[in-house]
Amino acid sequence: MTDQRRAERLDQPRAPRGLRLPRIDQETFGRVAEGIARGMGTANFLVYMTLVLTAWFLWNTLAPANLRFDPYTFTFLTLVLSLQASYAAPLILLAQNRQADRDRVALEEDRRRATMQKADTEYLAREIAALRIAMGEVATRDFLRSELARLAEELDEAAERRRKLERKQQEREARRRAGGEPLDEPRDDLDGDYAHDGRLEG
């Protein structure tokens, strides 16, 4: 009674019934199938198969009647070729499926790498653009040279004006010492560096 109730319970899975097939390693079987498919797709297989069929025909046609194991119409040969074709097609399909799986994985990996390379390229492009913008605000060597040259020219011009003004001042002093009246000369732009009393500003 207890066993019957236990067997009728719905919260427990049933024990598997029927024939248990042996488990086959799919990877190993796939490698074997690919090896057979590669072998059948070579010229050596065609040559060997042609030699076997030729020997089969010659033996069962020219050999004595009591030694022929597959006389004319070659029923046994037809059965063998049918079995070969029936096994060759699934093996080839299995090899193609495995190759398609590998191609899909390789394609996904290539797509992932292409996406990463695109992201890296965009990042580098943004960094280069940022560097160009930053370098546009930085004084370059040529700019500094031109500015220094311009400042040197301005300093030379200012020194030349000072020398001219000093010569004029010396001439005025010499005239005063000689007892002559100082000439009322209009002040030019060169006199801007001097104060009204004749001394240098600053």
Side-chain angles (χ1 to χ4, degrees), residues 33-90:
E34 286 181 344
I36 294 174
R38 288 194 188 95
M40 293 178 68
T42 59
N44 291 333
F45 177 78
L46 293 177
V47 171
Y48 295 150
M49 186 172 180
T50 302
L51 293 176
V52 169
L53 292 178
T54 303
W56 190 296
F57 289 146
L58 292 176
W59 180 266
N60 289 287
T61 302
L62 302 177
N66 58 347
L67 296 178
R68 297 176 189 172
F69 57 89
D70 188 19
Y72 178 68
T73 67
F74 307 112
T75 306
F76 184 52
L77 178 61
T78 304
L79 176 62
V80 170
L81 293 178
S82 300
L83 287 173
Q84 178 189 356
S86 63
Y87 277 98

Side-chain angles (χ1 to χ4, degrees), residues 26-28 202:
Q26 297 294 329
E27 187 65 26
T28 303

Side-chain angles (χ1 to χ4, degrees), residues 125-149:
R126 288 193 298 269
E127 289 296 319
I128 291 173
L131 287 175
R132 285 181 177 176
I133 293 172
M135 289 299 295
E137 300 174 356
V138 176
T140 61
R141 182 173 57 186
D142 296 334
F143 176 75
L144 290 176
R145 284 180 178 175
S146 63
E147 289 297 316
L148 290 174

